[in-house]
Amino acid sequence: MQEIYFISVSQMKENTHIDQTVSDKTLKILLRTLEVRYTQELLGRPLYLKLKSGVSGNTLTNYQRTLIEDYIIPYEFASADVLSFYDLLLKKSEAGILVVTPTNTEQKTQQELLVLRKHFEGTANFLAGLLKDYIVENLAQFPEYQYIAKGLVPRRFGNSGFFLDQDDFL
């Protein structure tokens, strides 16, 4: 079965801080995690699947296309920057976990990395809030967003973001 994503690996390389030399395989794993874990939870499973079906069948409404192009895609680029902090710093092998230190990298202190990570998380949180606002403002166009009977229910946020402590969720 063909996997359908809202963004591609090449778009991810072009629109994030992720270097062009990162392998497509590594980024495809990051992309799958991003969509299945974060985007799906943000939208709720029913709306997520509806949008994927619309992309696959080329049957998106104008509201759905706007949601994807203006809100989901920027959110996924920002979230890819956040996730890459963890996923690209470590490499798993049969011998264990390695810390990757290529020759053309600049070493940062833990404090510098925390500041940078907070910046990326803030951007992703802001874009998640805009995405949610668009859905709520156009709720009649997205009835799947309120679906509660089964499947993954969209999370309600105490703040506008996603990369927050569990206590920040309502």
Side-chain angles (χ1 to χ4, degrees):
M1 184 173 118
Q2 182 186 4
E3 294 177 323
I4 305 287
Y5 296 105
F6 295 120
I7 61 175
S8 68
V9 167
S10 61
Q11 288 174 315
M12 191 185 304
K13 287 181 178 182
E14 185 69 30
N15 293 285
T16 67
H17 292 89
I18 297 170
D19 191 76
Q20 295 288 329
T21 61
V22 177
S23 76
D24 287 357
K25 177 188 174 193
T26 298
L27 290 182
K28 190 153 187 176
I29 293 167
L30 188 141
L31 179 57
R32 188 178 310 118
T33 300
L34 168 64
E35 288 217 356
V36 170
R37 169 64 173 88
Y38 293 97
T39 303
Q40 183 174 199
E41 189 170 2
L42 189 63
L43 298 171
R45 186 167 175 79
L47 179 55
Y48 174 79
L49 293 176
K50 175 79 170 179
L51 293 172
K52 292 288 210 157
S53 175
V55 168
S56 176
N58 199 24
T59 58
L60 293 170
T61 68
N62 287 337
Y63 284 96
Q64 292 168 338
R65 189 173 309 285
T66 298
L67 176 63
I68 292 170
E69 292 174 359
D70 294 351
Y71 298 95
I72 293 174
I73 289 175
Y75 164 76
E76 287 195 351
F77 289 149
S79 296
D81 275 329
V82 175
L83 293 180
S84 69
F85 252 89
Y86 306 105
D87 294 353
L88 299 181
L89 292 177
L90 300 175
K91 179 111 178 133
K92 300 171 197 111
S93 74
E94 291 179 10
I97 297 178
L98 308 170
V99 176
V100 181
T101 55
T103 55
N104 292 329
T105 60
E106 179 181 332
Q107 297 297 316
K108 298 281 188 190
T109 67
Q110 183 178 9
Q111 185 59 36
E112 289 171 323
L113 288 174
L114 287 174
V115 168
L116 192 54
R117 186 185 78 189
K118 285 290 184 194
H119 166 73
F120 289 146
E121 287 175 349
T123 301
N125 289 340
F126 175 75
L127 293 169
L130 291 179
L131 188 157
K132 292 284 220 172
D133 287 347
Y134 178 78
I135 293 172
V136 170
E137 289 167 4
N138 298 285
L139 208 48
Q141 304 300 321
F142 303 106
E144 301 83 5
Y145 184 73
Q146 298 183 61
Y147 187 86
I148 296 176
K150 65 178 183 177
L152 188 59
V153 178
R155 282 185 111 159
R156 307 295 181 209
F157 299 96
N159 199 326
S160 63
F162 193 83
F163 294 96
L164 301 168
D165 294 333
Q166 290 294 331
D167 295 339
D168 288 339
F169 292 102
L170 297 175

